[in-house]
Amino acid sequence: MSQPNPDPRLAESLLEGNELIDGEFGITAEIPSFQLIQEWQEKRLSLCYGYYRMVDPPAVRKLQEELCEATGMSHALCYTSSEAALDEWLRTHFIIPPQHPILLLAEAEEPELERITGLFKAHQLPWMQLPSQVPARVPPCSAIVVLRQSPEVDRMLTILWHSLSVSLPLLVWSTEVPGKLARKLREATWICDLKGESGGGVLMPESSTFFEEFLERRKRRGPLLSPRVVRRAPGVPDESKEQTSAFNEVEKWFVKQEQAGVALLYPSGMSACAAVFDALLQLRPRHAVVIGGLYTDTHTLLTTPRFRPEGTRVDFLDVSEQDQIAEVLTEETAFVFLESITNPLGEVPDLPFIAANASLRQVPLVVDNTLATPFNLAPLQFGADVVIESTAKYLSGQNDHRGGAVVLNDPTLAVALYQDQQARNLRMSDEEATVLQERLRDFPDRMRRFNRNGRILRDFLQRHPKVAEVFSPHEQRGTDPESGFLAGVAGVVSFRLVSDSAEGVQRLYDSDLRPIGKGPTLGSNRTILCPYPLLAHYHAPEELVEQLCATRYLIRVAAGCEEDFTVVLRALGHGLDAV
């Protein structure tokens, strides 16, 4: 149970230093003290800034507040597009296929119609269409969706809401943000295009309950509006052709680097991950096999019923159990999933062995290659069928870009993913692609330093008397993965203190660790440290924490690519001395 909110002066003190890392477009923020983590996790105060999927960037937050003020709605959530917002609305209301069709009130010739019905088709949802007027009798239906292309429709909406004798999900799709809405009109959820300088779409739910659900879904599935899109400045010359060229060049870079046939770019790594899971679980029966530990939000997508299709079954194998893969694969298996280097424990599944077994059963192998990066590993060359990359991490390096990529060769799956991406208008913004193209120019040089610093960090921690156990890809069961399919292991190294306690973590974390950052990300050019389980699994049961993180008091250090790494080691040593 949450305790009362802290004294305002204490809250102000704790939030001092909670600032974005690397400017207004930063994807993460400094969380400067152990107590601030606790107060935030216990919901006694809110962070001003945080990891971009968990805490909205300032520009997005400001836009959402302005939309609430303009319409009178209590809540607003911005998405990469209105189609992406509608997709999440449908997934929320129709986890189980409905008994009755959706009632769509729209004129047959309206050009916006296909944007809505295309998603009905994608979700295999039945619908019936009637003109944009109050029907004499509302037929049996599972929800009502109204296409509003002018304010004249509002009077019809008010009459319709008053005439309903049953409670149904009500959605209004509008090609523009309306003005101040009458109270009755605020009883529906609104999805609106954000025209002009911003772009994207906004979902304004009718209740706080649904707002919390949509917020949670957006965090986990990642269809996020980039703050760079929000901040398009009026009067700036049109750069759309140059930006589109950058988008295409980044796609070509991934095709070449990963030796793939197709590359698709997404607004976040998790939106890429969710898209692959959605596509495979539609194309094939609903069973998945996971090998090794998972990033927290990937684990949530696969284990939480409301985030996956009804009836989906997932089997988990530890890396030490990967030789049992043949026993768990069946004719119903949709895919095998693994992280090439697991986060945060640095396990390295035997990719060629797993790929060979999956191929024998004609089961696609999906690899999240974020921690290894295409510099250290091209999974398609070792038998993987689909590769997912979070472009916000090592590929960017500067903490100010958000995005994801999917690379593959299978034409059938590529078509399914492309059609889904088009239906949901779910793509990396041109602005973010332009930034990523620039960041990729020195990617090889940075990765060499990441690999070097990761090895130096591992050796330093192994020798330190305050450290009980080190978790890094170099230390997996006495083998050196660099001698096999993995050319390097980048910079993530985790460790357990000898004290293995909250007090020990607090003493380390609250030390002056500068220039090391304190926050939830990895792949940053600057070294960043965090008590990973306390950020990612604070409320999780002990068994799950031990499965994914070994201990609740694990410390994860994401080594940067600093030229002079001795400064980082000196600061970390100072923190360990305080334990």
Side-chain angles (χ1 to χ4, degrees):
M1 180 180 296
S2 295
Q3 300 298 314
N5 291 335
D7 179 271
R9 287 173 296 182
L10 173 60
E12 183 179 356
S13 173
L14 289 174
L15 290 169
E16 185 177 352
N18 175 219
E19 300 172 348
L20 287 173
I21 296 175
D22 291 316
E24 66 173 317
F25 300 123
I27 63 166
T28 194
E30 289 275 352
I31 304 180
S33 69
F34 187 85
Q35 186 178 358
L36 178 56
I37 293 174
Q38 291 179 311
E39 297 293 330
W40 171 59
Q41 292 285 27
E42 294 292 346
K43 303 187 185 303
R44 291 192 286 258
L45 58 74
S46 298
L47 295 176
C48 298
Y49 306 102
Y51 190 64
Y52 75 105
R53 280 190 296 102
M54 302 296 118
V55 182
D56 283 325
V60 174
R61 188 162 62 230
K62 182 174 183 289
L63 175 59
Q64 291 170 167
E65 292 169 355
E66 291 172 349
L67 291 167
C68 289
E69 177 67 24
T71 61
M73 296 293 283
S74 299
H75 306 286
L77 288 172
C78 290
Y79 291 77
T80 187
S81 68
S82 293
E83 291 90 336
L86 177 58
D87 178 69
E88 295 303 322
W89 186 84
L90 293 172
R91 291 178 187 277
T92 298
H93 286 287
F94 300 110
I95 298 174
I96 299 173
Q99 291 184 333
H100 300 294
I102 297 171
L103 175 59
L104 175 59
L105 300 181
E107 302 303 327
E109 68 277 6
E110 289 179 340
E112 292 292 309
L113 210 56
E114 180 57 32
R115 296 174 67 193
I116 301 172
T117 58
L119 281 163
F120 291 170
K121 295 173 186 175
H123 285 274
Q124 301 179 350
L125 294 170
W127 79 91
M128 68 175 77
Q129 185 179 340
L130 294 177
S132 298
Q133 60 191 37
V134 179
R137 182 183 65 85
V138 177
C141 57
S142 58
I144 298 177
V145 176
V146 180
L147 175 53
R148 175 195 187 269
Q149 287 201 295
S150 70
E152 285 72 32
V153 177
D154 292 355
R155 182 173 179 276
M156 180 274 290
L157 291 172
T158 303
I159 297 172
L160 175 61
W161 290 179
H162 278 293
S163 69
L164 291 175
S165 59
V166 295
S167 177
L168 289 170
L170 306 171
L171 174 70
V172 181
W173 173 286
S174 178
T175 54
E176 62 181 10
V177 177
K180 191 75 74 173
L181 293 168
R183 184 186 61 81
K184 200 66 181 174
L185 295 179
R186 296 199 298 269
E187 295 179 10
T189 292
W190 288 69
I191 292 178
C192 311
D193 288 335
L194 296 174
K195 300 290 189 181
E197 302 300 337
S198 55
V202 61
L203 183 150
M204 297 182 286
E206 79 278 15
S207 72
S208 296
T209 300
F210 278 116
F211 168 75
E212 293 296 333
E213 175 63 19
F214 290 128
L215 179 63
E216 187 69 12
R217 295 187 70 87
R218 196 186 62 165
K219 288 177 181 178
R220 307 303 175 187
R221 292 176 54 84
L224 301 155
L225 181 65
S226 165
R228 283 192 167 85
V229 175
V230 176
R231 290 296 303 276
R232 286 175 185 160
V236 172
D238 182 13
E239 299 178 352
S240 58
K241 290 184 179 179
E242 293 181 11
Q243 291 174 339
T244 300
S245 173
F247 187 95
N248 294 336
E249 289 302 313
V250 170
E251 286 185 323
K252 291 176 184 177
W253 185 92
F254 275 103
V255 167
K256 180 180 179 179
Q257 191 77 22
E258 305 263 11
Q259 302 177 56
V262 177
L264 299 168
L265 302 181
Y266 288 84
S268 69
M270 285 311 301
S271 64
C273 200
V276 170
F277 293 166
D278 293 344
L280 288 171
L281 290 170
Q282 278 196 340
L283 289 172
R284 301 172 67 93
R286 293 173 176 174
H287 171 240
V289 175
V290 174
I291 298 177
L294 291 183
Y295 173 57
T296 177
D297 290 327
T298 311
H299 188 272
T300 298
L301 285 187
L302 289 173
T303 59
T304 307
R306 72 181 191 274
F307 289 135
R308 65 189 193 189
E310 184 189 21
T312 301
R313 181 169 58 87
V314 183
D315 286 326
F316 289 87
L317 293 178
D318 185 74
V319 172
S320 63
E321 302 170 320
Q322 60 190 355
D323 58 351
Q324 301 174 26
I325 182 173
E327 301 170 23
V328 297
L329 295 178
T330 72
E331 294 180 355
E332 297 183 342
T333 305
F335 61 89
V336 176
F337 181 81
L338 60 86
E339 297 177 1
S340 51
I341 301 175
T342 68
N343 180 18
L345 294 182
E347 299 171 301
V348 182
D350 188 340
L351 176 57
F353 172 78
I354 295 166
N357 277 271
S359 179
L360 283 175
R361 302 298 292 266
Q362 296 184 313
V363 175
L365 172 60
V366 182
V367 175
D368 182 338
N369 198 44
T370 297
L371 266 67
T373 81
F375 181 84
N376 289 325
L377 174 64
L380 294 180
Q381 303 311 302
F382 292 92
D385 297 283
V386 184
V387 178
I388 299 166
E389 305 274 5
S390 171
T391 60
K393 307 300 192 301
Y394 292 103
L395 290 157
S396 167
Q398 292 196 20
N399 287 313
D400 65 350
H401 157 81
R402 65 267 302 134
V406 173
V407 296
L408 70 164
N409 288 316
D410 179 20
T412 301
L413 181 57
V415 168
L417 285 168
Y418 177 77
Q419 290 176 340
D420 171 74
Q421 190 180 51
Q422 294 295 106
R424 293 194 283 160
N425 197 3
L426 190 68
R427 65 195 290 275
M428 183 187 294
S429 72
D430 290 336
E431 289 87 346
E432 294 291 351
T434 300
V435 172
L436 180 58
Q437 182 187 33
E438 180 63 30
R439 301 288 184 265
L440 290 173
R441 298 186 194 283
D442 66 349
F443 172 65
D445 290 337
R446 290 188 290 109
M447 284 309 304
R448 292 184 186 95
R449 296 199 301 274
F450 276 120
N451 286 341
R452 179 201 67 190
N453 292 349
R455 291 191 295 269
I456 294 171
L457 175 63
R458 170 208 63 183
D459 294 343
F460 171 82
L461 289 170
Q462 284 182 326
R463 293 192 302 267
H464 203 284
K466 298 290 182 70
V467 174
E469 187 174 9
V470 176
F471 302 89
S472 93
H474 303 262
E475 301 308 309
Q476 297 307 308
R477 292 164 182 78
T479 65
D480 182 0
E482 293 188 12
S483 66
F485 59 87
L486 204 55
V489 290
V492 172
V493 181
S494 299
F495 64 95
R496 180 172 61 85
L497 293 166
V498 171
S499 62
D500 197 25
S501 65
E503 181 182 5
V505 172
Q506 182 169 9
R507 286 179 178 273
L508 168 62
Y509 195 75
D510 287 347
S511 299
D512 183 356
L513 296 177
R514 290 173 297 178
I516 299 173
K518 301 177 183 180
T521 195
L522 57 88
S524 165
N525 293 344
R526 170 192 178 189
T527 298
I528 294 182
L529 174 149
C530 73
Y532 180 81
L534 298 180
L535 288 171
H537 302 287
Y538 187 88
H539 298 285
E542 202 65 34
E543 181 181 0
L544 179 61
V545 173
E546 290 181 2
Q547 174 191 340
L548 298 176
C549 304
T551 170
R552 190 172 293 276
Y553 307 113
L554 188 79
I555 302 291
R556 185 186 74 184
V557 185
C561 62
E562 295 92 345
E563 292 279 5
D564 182 6
F565 202 62
T566 59
V567 179
V568 174
L569 297 181
R570 190 179 305 120
L572 183 57
H574 171 74
L576 287 167
D577 289 343
V579 175

